[in-house]
Amino acid sequence: MPPFLPHPTACATNSTSRPAPPAACGLLDAIPRRNTKLEPRRSRRQGGRITTSCSSYTMSAAQDLIADAPTPRAFSALFKAASSAASPSPYLGAQLHAQAVVRGFLGDGDNTILYTAILNFYASCREPDLARQVFDAMARRNAVTWNTLIKGYAQAGRREEALKFFRDMRRQGHVAPDKYTFPALMSGIGREHCGGCMQELGGATHAQVIKSGLHNDPFVGASLVSMYAATGALEDVKLVFDDVDTLDPVVWSSMISAYDNCKEEEGALLTFYDMLCRDIKPRQFVYSSMFAICGSMSLLEMGRQVHAHSLKNINDKDAAMTNALLTMYSDCGCINYAWRVFNSNNIVDVISYNSMILALGQHGSPKEAIELFRQMKFSGLVPDEVTLLNLLSAFNHAGLVHEGLHIFGYMLETEDVKPTYQHYACVIDMLARSGEIKEAMKTIIEMPFEAETPLWRIVLGACSKHHDIGTGLKIAEMLFEMEPYEATNYILLGNIYTRLGRWTEAENIRSVMDKRGIYSDDAFSWIEIGRMTHRFGVADRSHPISEEIYRNLDRLIGSIKAAGYVPDVSFAAHNIEKDRREESLHYHCEKLAFAFGDLASSSGDTLRIMKNLRVCGDCHSAYKYFSLITGRKIILRDNHRFHHFNNGACSCGDYW
DNA sequence: GTAGGGTTAG
């Protein structure tokens, strides 16, 4: 099943190319100042000693440290607590580190434990080079020291260096790897591309694990599972899974994530079921993964059941699990449940706000998104680059170009949160879709990043919408050269021609695709009724009650036509003969799914319908009329956003 | 209350 609701793909511009930001619209005060987060504050009352907030435990420990005669042990505990903070500050560490030096704790004598605690602190801050400096200063190193350093580099995405230290550990340090070493080496593997070092990490690491006799260890097994899953090697994942102690929930959790990573969501559902059958109690991580899977497949009923299951089995709420739950309800079209989870959450962190702001943007509520952003600032949390991306995205969905450019302009001018490729892509999308194609092109050309093909495709789509055939042709030509076998490029160009009524050229594109053997993704829509998911393709007649569905659809089309609906044949497929174009529109998969939902549910029920591609313009218009004549609310999720249809109108305001 | 492990959320 295809992925849904991706973040806009991205690129950038330099500051001179950007349109002048509009006058202040009251958002400026809401922009974070990151400097205030990173600089530890000094309190006059406490004689300028460390009082920065990290966690409440660190705070009280720091005060004890100042008040009482501190010991190396206390310092170790302090570093440990500081490392476990949500976002450890290297500035705090540097000050503690200095205190430890001043007090002579890092001089002669056995200081390996304190040193390792400091090393671990810098590693947790994603500052492996600082960790390395500590490592170099140590007189004695043991396995814990080596493992911590390796983990520091691995988690920072510097896997080549992590591998180097893994080799040095035995050769230079004369320390054998233990059950902590392999998880350290492979940690964070799913989060980044490993490039060339993946080969060495793969089979060779697995061989080392077996040689060390550690293949039964659940943590090592979990690491191997995620390592193979990162390369998409699901068969190897299964082999490892069968080899380890399968009663350990950690391995099961990795296995469920592995299926998810390899786009085998159904395998994940079956693994969860298998786990329950064997009476293994899922932990928070398992529920997090399951919520993500139910959300990505839009399986509301399944999601609810997993939620109920988690309530019975988990007492202590976990922030990640709660945020995953919030996103699951939003992904299933239930923004109200997402709100409920957000409001009942005791541990609201930056990610909770980011998740909720993203959800509001996708559901077309930019005002609520900006209000939440203000609330976030007020609560003392510091928005990060994802917060601003989600906010930009909310403005983009709603066509609030003015507001979006304002935020973006502020990002360019300040040092707080620097725009990444994704922020640029979002702004370029925003400009192009609002009809500012020239400005979008100028931004792409002048930006400091190289535009990637998905971004060009966004602009090509906008050219189709705004009938800019000149620019569209240029972009299409370039795309055909860069990606001659990408079907979407052909379809988008074909759309430009059909929107202009130039059917012959559109048909030519289709025949070029046929000749070159290029096939586009088939469109599918599906709807969950009760505990069953019903899927429809275009002009699909495979459903057991297909005849009734078509009869109902014909009836509905008649009614909406009477109410004013006019079919728009420019959305018909390129290769359909002229006199069959209108009829072909009627049997688009999203219309079939609605016709079925209308039959299979009580009148007045809200229908939630999913589509794997972007909703067709004619279907969007038909849905508005469907909501009018049936009195139903319809929530349609496509691969881009949510549309809430009610009483003849859509929440997107026809801007999508 | 002296140091190190895995899987999750945007």
Side-chain angles (χ1 to χ4, degrees):
Chain A
M1 207 158 285
F4 289 93
L5 297 165
H7 268 300
T9 34
C11 250
T13 175
N14 67 35
S15 57
T16 54
S17 74
R18 159 186 57 82
C25 60
L27 297 178
L28 265 177
D29 59 340
I31 300 284
R33 294 201 168 272
R34 178 163 280 178
N35 295 345
T36 57
K37 176 189 169 195
L38 294 178
E39 297 288 347
R41 289 188 305 276
R42 282 169 177 272
S43 151
R44 276 186 213 139
R45 268 190 311 152
Q46 298 200 13
R49 279 175 284 194
I50 303 157
T51 60
T52 186
S53 62
C54 186
S55 68
S56 55
Y57 173 66
T58 312
M59 186 77 157
S60 63
Q63 284 164 343
D64 288 350
L65 183 71
I66 291 156
D68 307 330
T71 61
R73 285 187 177 198
F75 264 90
S76 300
L78 203 47
F79 275 109
K80 184 182 184 181
S83 306
S84 63
S87 50
S89 154
Y91 296 90
L92 167 68
Q95 296 203 37
L96 284 176
H97 190 172
Q99 291 276 336
V101 172
V102 166
R103 288 162 200 272
F105 295 154
L106 297 174
D108 296 335
D110 186 8
N111 47 32
T112 313
I113 291 177
L114 178 54
Y115 255 127
T116 306
I118 300 174
L119 197 165
N120 181 54
F121 175 79
Y122 287 121
S124 307
C125 296
R126 299 279 158 89
E127 294 282 358
D129 293 326
L130 294 179
R132 169 80 194 274
Q133 284 178 28
V134 175
F135 181 84
D136 287 342
M138 292 174 73
R140 280 180 300 277
R141 300 159 189 134
N142 58 23
V144 182
T145 323
W146 282 97
N147 293 341
T148 310
L149 184 70
I150 291 168
K151 187 190 73 173
Y153 277 98
Q155 288 196 331
R158 291 166 63 175
R159 217 157 281 282
E160 297 278 3
E161 285 149 292
L163 269 167
K164 178 192 169 300
F165 289 116
F166 174 70
R167 287 190 290 263
D168 289 350
M169 178 179 183
R170 199 183 339 229
R171 290 178 197 163
Q172 293 173 18
H174 306 290
V175 177
D178 61 13
K179 62 179 182 174
Y180 291 86
T181 312
F182 293 102
L185 184 62
M186 294 179 269
S187 67
I189 194 100
R191 287 198 288 270
E192 98 273 0
H193 270 299
C194 285
C197 62
M198 204 46 138
Q199 210 173 358
E200 183 168 358
L201 254 184
T205 309
H206 194 174
Q208 291 270 357
V209 167
I210 294 169
K211 206 170 147 188
S212 314
L214 295 167
H215 57 285
N216 275 323
D217 182 83
F219 287 101
V220 175
S223 304
L224 285 171
V225 162
S226 17
M227 178 189 70
Y228 281 124
T231 57
L234 197 54
E235 290 309 311
D236 291 327
V237 169
K238 290 177 189 167
L239 289 177
V240 174
F241 184 66
D242 291 341
D243 206 24
V244 290
D245 173 13
T246 51
L247 291 178
D248 191 295
V250 174
V251 188
W252 286 77
S253 166
S254 308
M255 193 63 206
I256 288 173
S257 304
Y259 276 115
D260 191 23
N261 290 337
C262 297
K263 306 287 170 217
E264 294 261 355
E265 287 89 349
E266 286 183 14
L269 298 179
L270 290 172
T271 307
F272 181 68
Y273 183 69
D274 196 7
M275 190 177 177
L276 300 185
C277 291
R278 290 171 195 237
D279 216 17
I280 302 169
K281 280 211 165 184
R283 295 184 191 169
Q284 283 122 329
F285 273 109
V286 173
Y287 289 114
S288 292
S289 302
M290 288 305 298
F291 292 146
I293 288 159
C294 294
S296 76
M297 297 174 83
S298 264
L299 298 178
L300 178 61
E301 193 51 43
M302 174 76 75
R304 277 183 174 146
Q305 288 184 41
V306 177
H307 182 188
H309 202 272
S310 76
L311 290 174
K312 284 183 203 160
N313 287 286
I314 300 286
N315 293 322
D316 46 336
K317 280 187 182 174
D318 175 73
M321 185 180 126
T322 312
N323 293 332
L325 180 66
L326 186 167
T327 302
M328 185 271 285
Y329 279 123
S330 168
D331 282 350
C332 290
C334 301
I335 190 72
N336 292 342
Y337 287 152
W339 263 127
R340 212 182 289 178
V341 174
F342 181 84
N343 288 328
S344 64
N345 187 3
N346 296 326
I347 341 158
V348 176
D349 59 8
V350 171
I351 296 175
S352 313
Y353 275 100
N354 290 354
S355 308
M356 198 62 217
I357 289 172
L358 179 75
L360 289 168
Q362 288 171 338
H363 284 270
S365 305
K367 283 183 188 161
E368 286 173 286
I370 190 76
E371 189 48 47
L372 200 60
F373 180 64
R374 291 209 178 95
Q375 189 186 315
M376 175 185 187
K377 286 274 298 168
F378 187 73
S379 76
L381 287 170
V382 180
D384 62 10
E385 60 181 44
V386 178
T387 320
L388 294 184
L389 180 65
N390 292 350
L391 204 55
L392 270 176
S393 165
F395 291 147
N396 185 15
H397 280 308
L400 298 173
V401 181
H402 184 82
E403 289 79 354
L405 289 179
H406 184 74
I407 292 268
F408 189 65
Y410 191 85
M411 289 178 77
L412 288 172
E413 282 163 18
T414 65
E415 296 292 320
D416 295 336
V417 180
K418 279 284 147 205
T420 64
Y421 181 86
Q422 291 197 313
H423 295 96
Y424 277 102
C426 191
V427 165
I428 289 163
D429 184 8
M430 184 186 287
L431 286 167
R433 287 201 306 125
S434 68
E436 300 281 347
I437 307 253
K438 277 190 186 156
E439 203 54 57
M441 290 294 284
K442 197 173 160 211
T443 311
I444 287 191
I445 290 161
E446 292 179 1
M447 72 183 174
F449 301 99
E450 187 75 23
E452 291 172 16
T453 49
L455 183 56
W456 285 116
R457 262 193 290 281
I458 287 173
V459 184
L460 180 56
C463 290
S464 164
K465 184 180 169 193
H466 295 286
H467 300 173
D468 185 342
I469 189 162
T471 313
L473 282 175
K474 277 185 212 155
I475 295 175
E477 204 172 304
M478 189 176 65
L479 280 169
F480 289 148
E481 207 161 288
M482 293 162 83
E483 294 176 331
Y485 293 99
E486 172 61 52
T488 325
N489 299 337
Y490 294 83
I491 307 268
L492 285 169
L493 182 61
N495 286 349
I496 292 190
Y497 287 127
T498 48
R499 297 298 292 277
L500 293 168
R502 290 161 66 167
W503 293 92
T504 318
E505 280 129 314
E507 279 165 29
N508 284 344
I509 302 242
R510 176 60 65 173
S511 63
V512 170
M513 288 180 75
D514 288 345
K515 271 184 210 153
R516 295 186 184 172
I518 298 164
Y519 301 102
S520 53
D521 283 342
D522 289 334
F524 287 106
S525 290
W526 63 102
I527 180 169
E528 218 184 6
I529 297 280
R531 294 185 180 182
M532 287 278 289
T533 302
H534 303 260
R535 192 179 81 155
F536 298 88
V538 176
D540 192 340
R541 288 185 183 267
S542 62
H543 196 278
I545 61 160
S546 184
E547 277 189 29
E548 280 178 72
I549 296 169
Y550 275 75
R551 262 201 304 279
N552 192 39
L553 183 52
D554 290 339
R555 182 188 63 80
L556 286 164
I557 298 275
S559 306
I560 64 174
K561 272 187 174 171
Y565 157 77
V566 180
D568 184 346
V569 290
S570 74
F571 289 102
H574 309 163
N575 55 345
I576 307 262
E577 294 152 27
K578 197 174 177 183
D579 52 349
R580 290 195 48 243
R581 278 177 200 148
E582 184 181 325
E583 187 199 330
S584 77
L585 280 181
H586 296 170
Y587 305 130
H588 277 184
C589 57
E590 51 268 60
K591 292 195 184 84
L592 287 169
F594 177 81
F596 169 72
D598 185 52
L599 275 180
S601 63
S602 308
S603 73
D605 279 4
T606 297
L607 295 183
R608 290 185 178 77
I609 296 168
M610 278 66 68
K611 188 183 175 187
N612 63 339
L613 306 175
R614 193 175 276 222
V615 60
C616 137
D618 181 68
C619 291
H620 190 270
S621 164
Y623 265 46
K624 287 194 287 180
Y625 284 98
F626 286 153
S627 73
L628 185 69
I629 60 156
T630 62
R632 289 179 188 274
K633 287 182 185 165
I634 312 163
I635 301 169
L636 173 67
R637 173 184 171 177
D638 68 9
N639 63 348
H640 192 61
R641 61 170 296 157
F642 288 89
H643 298 265
H644 294 248
F645 298 91
N646 186 24
N647 203 24
C650 179
S651 60
C652 75
D654 297 337
Y655 183 87
W656 47 279

